[in-house]
Amino acid sequence: MASSLTVKVHPVVYLTIVDAYERRSRPIKANQANDKALGTLMGFYEKGAVQVTNCFAIPFNENRDQPELDDSFNQSMIHMLKRSTPTEQPVGWFYTSPDLSPACLPYHDYYSRVVYEAFGPRRETPLVILLTLDTTFSSVEDKERMPVRAYFRSKAGISGNPEPHCAIFNPLRVEMDAFPGECVALNLIQGSVEDKQREVNLDNGLSQLEKSTGQIVEWLERVLQYVDEVLARDELPADATLGRKLMDIVQTAATHLQQDKLDALVKNSLRDYMMISYLANLTKTQLSLHERMVSL
């Protein structure tokens, strides 16, 4: 069922929407320019979910009686992104508004045609997603989380009348998802939150390896503590899903990372990092000696 569909939004989508809202045309007078951001969602469909992996903002104007969109700009961006990432297709659109406005109907009709053209008449047209982001944080329910909602449109009518007389935007479940590379980038970005200049420095090879190893050890200790508590106390419920995931991790480590391969991987990596560090220090020493000799 469509209502059981999950919209999985990746971090770059949130960042792009917020950036588009910050760069929007700010109104100088009332009803002179858009105070919202609107754009196209790119991604792909999978069983029971929609992966929204990218997006971009497009020029639009809704201050007139008939809302307007820049179709040529939108088509050019879709064509360019499909050339760089063929797996991504238009899956819907985003809108930075706390509530749905009457302009959402013509916008959604337009994106329904865009998605239909992308998938072609031979395939069943999937649901077109509307993703809204409340940049004012006006909702009381969303004070502690990102105020993001997703909808799909369905038509409704009166019994006995073949033609629908209205459209209903039905809510969908929204989750945050990320690829492994995006998780690394997010962890790096979070390191700049406590910095006054909002800057973060990249670690060198040895520091990064030490930090990653420390995180793995910390996670293993937490898992071991959980398993010991469950085995020691009968009143604690045992989670079968978590147990299967732990078994998968153990089997994966035993199958793909034998002890000799793991030892060789660590030794080779450390040897490479040490050689790079030695060459870098040697280069710095030679440069400093050269500068001193030139200054004499």
Side-chain angles (χ1 to χ4, degrees), residues 26-273:
R26 299 180 182 273
I28 302 176
K29 297 180 181 180
N31 298 326
Q32 185 175 358
N34 299 317
D35 196 28
K36 302 180 180 67
L38 184 146
T40 304
L41 298 176
M42 302 292 292
F44 56 92
Y45 295 88
E46 58 185 15
K47 185 177 180 181
V50 182
Q51 292 279 356
V52 184
T53 56
N54 199 358
C55 69
F56 60 89
I58 64 173
F60 75 105
N61 189 353
E62 63 178 21
N63 296 319
R64 302 178 182 178
D65 295 335
Q66 183 67 26
E68 298 176 353
L69 293 171
D70 193 339
D71 179 62
S72 60
F73 178 84
N74 188 32
Q75 295 295 341
S76 299
M77 288 293 296
I78 292 176
H79 181 68
M80 181 184 65
L81 291 177
K82 288 175 66 176
R83 291 184 61 183
S84 61
T85 312
T87 57
E88 290 184 350
Q89 300 287 342
V91 296
W93 59 291
F94 70 83
Y95 192 49
T96 58
S97 176
D99 301 315
L100 299 179
S101 64
C104 292
L105 291 176
Y107 291 154
H108 204 84
D109 290 336
Y110 167 76
Y111 277 100
S112 297
R113 294 192 298 269
V114 171
V115 174
Y116 175 79
E117 293 173 358
F119 283 85
R122 296 183 179 180
R123 298 177 58 184
E124 182 181 358
T125 304
L127 291 178
V128 181
I129 305 302
L130 165 58
L131 191 71
T132 63
L133 175 61
D134 182 10
T135 53
T136 63
F137 287 83
S138 58
S139 177
V140 180
E141 300 176 357
D142 297 327
K143 291 296 183 181
E144 303 296 334
R145 60 184 296 273
M146 181 73 76
V148 179
R149 291 181 174 83
Y151 303 90
F152 76 96
R153 189 184 66 176
S154 62
K155 295 182 179 180
I158 301 175
S159 179
N161 189 356
E163 296 294 333
H165 71 281
C166 68
I168 302 175
F169 284 94
N170 302 282
L172 293 171
R173 182 180 179 183
V174 181
E175 294 181 356
M176 184 175 178
D177 200 0
F179 297 125
E182 293 175 327
C183 294
V184 175
L186 282 179
N187 293 332
L188 183 64
I189 293 173
Q190 288 178 355
S192 64
V193 175
E194 298 179 357
D195 190 87
K196 294 181 179 179
Q197 298 180 352
R198 293 295 188 265
E199 294 180 356
V200 59
N201 297 323
L202 295 175
D203 298 329
N204 56 27
L206 289 176
S207 299
Q208 188 174 3
L209 180 61
E210 180 183 1
K211 186 182 295 184
S212 300
T213 306
Q215 288 181 347
I216 294 176
V217 173
E218 181 182 356
W219 293 338
L220 290 176
E221 290 177 350
R222 290 172 58 185
V223 171
L224 181 61
Q225 181 181 0
Y226 167 77
V227 174
D228 291 339
E229 290 180 355
V230 173
L231 294 177
R233 300 172 59 182
D234 297 335
E235 64 272 11
L236 290 179
D239 191 348
T241 303
L242 182 59
R244 285 191 293 268
K245 290 183 179 180
L246 293 176
M247 182 59 65
D248 293 338
I249 294 173
V250 173
Q251 291 179 352
T252 302
T255 304
H256 300 284
L257 288 177
Q258 288 83 2
Q259 186 64 32
D260 54 347
K261 292 184 178 180
L262 181 60
D263 293 340
L265 177 63
V266 174
K267 290 179 180 178
N268 293 334
S269 299
L270 288 176
R271 191 180 297 113
D272 293 339
Y273 285 133

